[in-house]
Amino acid sequence: TELSSVDASGKGSRIALKKASVAESASQGLAAPGLAVSRSALLRLCLQSVGSSTCNELGVQLTNWLYSNPYSYANASIGLTSVARNATVKVLEITKCGSTVVFDNLTTPLSIDLDMPPAPTEDPPYAHRFE
């Protein structure tokens, strides 16, 4: 399912939601609009015990803030990265049985691919850089 509030200029937000079974995702990987999570990453997820052992639910929410950075208030003077107000920001949350999955203490890298918008063609604002 995809929810969108993007205006004619392309600015706004788009949220992709997906529910799947943990077992199916671990055998095939997981794809949603603008997102691919590798089978190997999801195999590790299946080994994590979150919630009930009988639960087989996996949820994904990918929020795209298109040219409308919700974190533009972050102040570089207190150690936060300053990101342009019109930057595109993606936020990904994966849940298993209703609990947020945290991939920490990884010994092997995992692969989560996110589609990104084209790089800007104009010069960045003063004291910013495009990456």
Side-chain angles (χ1 to χ4, degrees), residues 2-129:
E2 187 171 77
L3 308 170
S4 179
S5 64
V6 178
D7 65 19
S9 72
K11 182 178 178 179
S13 63
R14 186 174 292 133
I15 301 173
L17 304 167
K18 181 158 185 153
K19 292 257 186 213
S21 80
V22 173
E24 179 183 317
S25 298
S27 68
Q28 299 175 11
L30 180 68
L35 168 72
V37 183
S38 70
R39 178 181 173 274
S40 61
L42 291 168
L43 280 172
R44 286 185 235 167
L45 171 63
C46 289
L47 299 175
Q48 293 181 358
S49 60
V50 177
S52 167
S53 61
T54 60
C55 179
N56 190 35
E57 180 183 276
L58 184 66
V60 175
Q61 177 176 321
L62 177 61
T63 304
N64 294 287
W65 299 95
L66 304 169
Y67 310 105
S68 55
N69 175 10
Y71 306 109
S72 62
Y73 62 86
N75 187 334
S77 68
I78 58 172
L80 299 173
T81 302
S82 179
V83 178
R85 182 174 302 282
N86 65 345
T88 292
V89 175
K90 292 185 176 249
V91 178
L92 173 64
E93 181 179 34
I94 300 175
T95 60
K96 180 180 177 189
C97 306
S99 297
T100 300
V101 175
V102 178
F103 295 96
D104 56 2
N105 299 320
L106 297 175
T107 55
T108 306
L110 63 94
S111 173
I112 297 176
D113 297 321
L114 296 170
D115 291 344
M116 297 302 291
T121 55
E122 74 277 358
D123 290 333
Y126 176 75
H128 291 82
R129 70 174 184 222

